[in-house]
Amino acid sequence: MAPESPVPTLKLVQTLKGHRGRVWNVSWHPQGNILTSCGEDKIIRLWGTEGGVEGKWVVKTTLTDGHERTIREVSWSPCGRYLASSSFDATTAIWDKKSGDYECNATLEGHENEVKSVAWARSGQVLATCSRDKTVWIWEVAEEDEYECAAVLNAHTQDVKKVMWHPNDEILASASYDNTIKMFREDPSDQEWTCVATLASHTSTVWSIAFDKTGTRLASCSDDETLKIWKVYLPGNQEGIATPDGQPVWKCVCTISGVHTRSVYDVAWCHQTDLIATACGDDTVRIFQESLDSDPNQPTFNLVATSKPSLSHTQDVNSVAWHPTVPGLLASASDDGSIILWQFIDASS
């Protein structure tokens, strides 16, 4: 018999336990030496290894006095010195360790209710938050521990679930319960933030979004159980796509359906390997890879690996995050209270 050809696999590296109740989000420090998690227990946990990335991950620090309700998301500044956390208590906390230990040194207030997501722009001088109050707020770093609201954006008609910055430019994307994704940027002529694009194709809540490393493509996932890939077409593009008012146009170029059996709650696009990971309400983590002969205007993405039920989460998977420096290392967080570290192993490796 001919030997079986190797297939890509998702290998379980370690299961991290400590949170009480659901874990909403996981986020890596830019250097990859800290994994941060948050959830229903109102505690932020900072995990590190005993001896490099290869070592066992353990809790190094817990941050407990920043929020009064569930913490929905955590996000590191690009420089790695500041950690932002968004909460159902309607605030966003900014943490740093200038004193030697992590402390909350600024609290951003203004949203009417739950803050669902927080993200730093690449410059580290601007943050975005979004809320169930249907708004997206842009915050500018004024002075040390001072943050000023630069804009309140009312483009969405429902709860805004996620904000994500473009990897290279100060363009902000947001995803909403109104089934759309919006793009915002600051008009250089009057410093006003405006909505420059609406991406409409999903038929239910858009839970999360992720740019590829070039920022020319965006992945989105939804309550409609699909994963979509969007591509930007600039004015004068060779495909002849019309760009009204000289503004870039985003088009849905691929829809992956029939794979997820419940809502897809999160998506992460690896900037090292170009792999896409999804977190799903069917307790499963999935990995997708673009075909080698893929047409940029009609790309093909294949499901290449799935978490095994016997090793995976036992409830909804809420969050997935690729490690910033170790190719194929992925963290996932779940309603079951656990975080799992996975290693994607390619068939060719």
Side-chain angles (χ1 to χ4, degrees):
M1 289 175 62
E4 290 186 19
S5 56
V7 295
T9 55
L10 202 54
K11 176 189 170 189
L12 188 147
V13 176
Q14 190 183 341
T15 301
L16 311 181
K17 294 187 175 177
H19 280 285
R20 296 186 309 278
R22 66 183 59 173
V23 187
W24 274 115
N25 185 246
V26 279
S27 175
W28 295 98
H29 185 277
Q31 294 176 351
N33 58 332
I34 301 169
L35 176 66
T36 314
S37 60
C38 64
E40 210 170 23
D41 61 9
K42 304 177 288 228
I43 296 172
I44 299 169
R45 283 176 166 76
L46 276 58
W47 308 78
T49 60
E50 303 287 358
V53 178
E54 297 294 320
K56 185 180 180 186
W57 290 82
V58 296
V59 173
K60 297 283 192 177
T61 308
T62 56
L63 310 181
T64 57
D65 56 356
H67 294 288
E68 295 171 3
R69 293 184 62 196
T70 290
I71 304 173
R72 184 63 177 86
E73 192 167 285
V74 278
S75 174
W76 287 97
S77 63
C79 67
R81 291 198 299 270
Y82 301 94
L83 176 69
S85 57
S86 60
S87 169
F88 287 2
D89 67 11
T91 72
T92 299
I94 311 294
W95 308 77
D96 65 57
K97 57 184 301 184
K98 289 196 288 280
S99 66
D101 296 315
Y102 281 98
E103 291 181 346
C104 174
N105 283 320
T107 301
L108 313 187
E109 298 177 329
H111 283 293
E112 293 175 14
N113 44 40
E114 290 109 318
V115 186
K116 298 294 181 73
S117 179
V118 58
W120 298 81
R122 185 184 177 188
S123 66
Q125 297 302 301
V126 185
L127 288 97
T129 57
C130 65
S131 167
R132 192 162 71 88
D133 65 14
K134 308 176 189 176
T135 67
V136 173
W137 288 46
I138 307 288
W139 306 83
E140 291 178 350
V141 180
E143 297 169 27
E144 194 163 330
D145 300 334
E146 294 285 332
Y147 296 81
E148 294 178 353
C149 175
V152 177
L153 307 172
N154 294 290
H156 286 290
T157 59
Q158 297 287 344
D159 182 354
V160 190
K161 301 292 188 184
K162 187 79 174 182
V163 281
M164 179 71 66
W165 290 94
H166 187 283
N168 306 312
D169 299 318
E170 286 208 346
I171 297 169
L172 179 69
S174 60
S176 170
Y177 188 67
D178 66 13
N179 306 355
T180 72
I181 300 154
K182 305 273 186 186
M183 296 278 184
F184 304 92
R185 73 180 312 160
E186 191 178 33
D187 186 329
S189 65
D190 59 8
Q191 278 76 56
E192 290 288 321
W193 284 85
T194 55
C195 178
V196 293
T198 298
L199 287 59
S201 178
H202 283 292
T203 57
S204 191
T205 300
V206 186
W207 280 103
S208 191
I209 44 183
F211 283 100
D212 76 348
K213 64 187 173 193
T214 67
T216 59
R217 297 196 294 179
L218 181 81
S220 61
C221 62
S222 167
D223 223 39
D224 65 15
E225 301 177 7
T226 71
L227 172 66
K228 290 181 182 284
I229 308 297
W230 307 77
K231 176 176 161 61
V232 68
Y233 292 90
L234 303 176
N237 63 82
Q238 62 185 28
E239 291 85 2
I241 304 292
T243 54
D245 304 323
Q247 290 284 1
V249 169
W250 288 84
K251 287 197 165 293
C252 179
V253 291
C254 175
T255 299
I256 298 162
S257 57
V259 176
H260 302 91
T261 62
R262 294 272 181 90
S263 299
V264 191
Y265 291 122
D266 198 16
V267 58
W269 202 325
C270 184
H271 289 186
Q272 298 177 87
T273 63
D274 275 335
L275 295 167
I276 294 175
T278 59
C280 187
D282 61 12
D283 315 343
T284 306
V285 175
R286 292 175 175 86
I287 309 296
F288 297 85
Q289 191 169 38
E290 188 171 8
S291 303
L292 291 173
D293 57 354
S294 187
D295 176 351
N297 299 301
Q298 290 180 304
T300 306
F301 285 81
N302 300 311
L303 176 66
V304 292
T306 303
S307 58
K308 293 179 181 175
S310 60
L311 299 175
S312 194
H313 294 290
T314 57
Q315 295 180 46
D316 295 8
V317 188
N318 296 315
S319 176
V320 279
W322 292 105
H323 192 279
T325 61
V326 179
L329 183 59
L330 181 77
S332 62
S334 168
D335 278 4
D336 67 13
S338 75
I339 298 154
I340 297 180
L341 298 180
W342 309 90
Q343 179 66 50
F344 175 77
I345 300 170
D346 204 330
S348 60
S349 61

